[in-house]
Every structure is written in C-alpha cells, then in structure tokens.
Amino acid sequence: MSSKYLKDASATLVREELFNHKLFYDLKIAAAKREYHLKIFSANVDFEGFDIVIDDDDKIGRYQIKTRLDSSTKSWEIHKGILLPNNRNAELMRFDNGLCRYFDCGVILMDINSSLKDDDNYQVNYYYTDYYIIKSIATNLIKRSKQTVIMANNILEQLVLTKRYSDRISIKKSLFVKLKNPTSLLTICGFDSSDNKQIQFLCMKLFERNKIRIKDIESDSEFSAYKKAFINELNDLIDK
C-alpha cells in the first residue's frame, strides 16, 4: 500500500475508510479483553458532526474522527455539538445552553505515521479530546502551556454560547491527550475496559464541586483525594 497514494487529496475518503476500520478493530479487541462485544456504527450522513456511534449496551457515545497522515496539521474544525457535555453532567456543573443531550461525545484523532522502512506498515497513535479534557486543561488538572490554558478557557466560553450543533470551532492538537493504546482510548471515552479505571466518575466528582475556582477549594480533603486519584488514573492512560 503506497503512502504516496494515501496522501493524495483524491484518496481522502479511501484513507478515512481504511483507518476507520483500523479504529473499529482496535476498540473491539480492547472490549474483547474485558469479555464483551462492543458495537460500533458509522454515521450515514454527516448531519451533527459525529462519524461513529459506540454502544456497549450500558452507554452510547457519538464521536467525530479526524485523521492526519505524516502531516503537520495542528488544528481541526470541530462541530460544537460534539464538544458539549451530556445533559446530566451539564446540570451538575450548572452548564446548560439548552443543547446538551443524554449521550457523551468527543473527538478521536488518528495520527498516522508511514515513515517506516516497510511501506505496508503504519503506526497509528490515538489522541482524544472532549468537553471534560478541555475543562481539565482550563483548570490546570492537565498541565499545558499558559497559552493553551487560555485557549481552553476561551473555548469553554464559546461552548456556553453555542446556538447550533453544526457551528464549528477550531481545536488545536495541544487540546488533545495522546493515549498509550486502544484500551486507554476506550477507557477515556468512558467505556468498560481492562484498565478498570473510573476516570469519568473522578472527573465529574471534581467538576460538580467546581462552583468556584479550584484554587479556592484545594484545602478540601475530599476534593484533594479526588484530584489525586484523577491525575494518577489519567497518567496511567496518556502517553507523554
């Protein structure tokens, strides 16, 4: 398989379909390690920004997929609807612009490297972001540069003002986290995995308390315990 062909603009849809199948396989294998069948469906029409639906019978999530092949692309236009929290969590965080829905959403980025000796071999690194990752960056739970923290806070402000799911917003790569493997990706999306993490539960235990600035409640022992657990579990998932 020629990387030259896949990089050609005329092969964009071929490339997306090919690596989407790679993503599906990796996630299904990760679920199989936990001994359950993960269902993944492709969206037939790009209406609200999501490309796939993931269903484990307990949870349903909708995700937009972005790919880059040996590219210097540093930002992507994402549907704002994909970056909104689900309505239950929105209520806990006192975030509600009237558009939040019952399912979780996020963006999966496949960073594909073909600079290997064997032209048939491709290394795929998975990155992920959603409302909670961006909020974790904005509140310094995930450490980023000062510029990225400001960017994250600006995006959160824009999301509150979202009027249509289809409105787009530019998201830079610095607002994603790089995952160690497909199992880590499955985990951070909030599905059951062999990692046996409670990352989304811990995240919400922090954010539902975030009625005021985080630094003003650092002395709260329960908050500090959740924060420590969240950071430890996140560090187990991400590839620094």
Side-chain angles (χ1 to χ4, degrees), residues 158-175:
Q158 292 182 57
L159 291 177
V160 172
L161 301 175
T162 299
K163 300 300 181 184
R164 296 179 300 180
Y165 298 117
S166 59
D167 289 345
R168 296 174 184 257
I169 190 168
S170 180
I171 301 295
K172 291 192 174 182
K173 192 181 177 187
S174 59
L175 292 171

Side-chain angles (χ1 to χ4, degrees), residues 214-232:
I214 280 185
K215 68 179 183 180
D216 293 333
I217 50 177
E218 286 285 0
S219 60
D220 184 299
S221 58
E222 186 179 13
F223 177 89
S224 298
Y226 281 128
K227 178 181 177 181
K228 182 178 179 180
F230 171 79
I231 292 173
N232 287 341

Side-chain angles (χ1 to χ4, degrees), residues 26-57:
D26 284 346
L27 289 179
K28 284 176 177 288
I29 288 294
K33 291 178 180 177
R34 192 63 169 172
E35 300 184 354
Y36 73 93
H37 174 57
L38 188 72
K39 295 182 283 293
I40 306 177
F41 308 95
S42 296
N44 293 323
V45 180
D46 183 9
F47 177 62
E48 293 179 345
F50 66 92
D51 298 301
I52 63 171
V53 176
I54 301 178
D55 180 359
D56 70 352
D57 289 331

Side-chain angles (χ1 to χ4, degrees), residues 74-157:
K74 295 182 179 179
S75 64
W76 294 265
E77 294 298 312
I78 305 298
H79 284 68
K80 287 184 177 180
I82 291 293
L83 294 173
L84 295 176
N86 67 49
N87 54 12
R88 177 181 177 277
N89 291 342
E91 184 177 349
L92 290 172
M93 294 184 290
R94 298 182 181 178
F95 173 105
D96 190 7
N97 61 1
L99 293 180
C100 297
R101 295 172 288 190
Y102 72 92
F103 45 78
D104 286 323
C105 297
V107 186
I108 298 170
L109 168 64
M110 288 185 280
D111 195 8
I112 306 155
N113 178 14
S114 68
S115 58
L116 303 171
K117 293 182 179 180
D118 183 355
D119 201 31
D120 289 333
N121 242 328
Y122 290 82
Q123 177 182 337
V124 179
N125 292 313
Y126 290 113
Y127 291 76
Y128 180 77
T129 195
D130 59 15
Y131 178 87
Y132 312 102
I133 295 296
I134 294 172
K135 188 171 178 66
S136 295
I137 292 171
T139 53
N140 287 304
L141 289 170
I142 297 176
K143 300 301 181 183
R144 289 291 190 270
S145 68
K146 182 178 179 180
Q147 181 180 9
T148 300
V149 171
I150 292 172
M151 186 191 317
N153 277 288
N154 287 339
I155 288 171
L156 294 179
E157 291 176 6

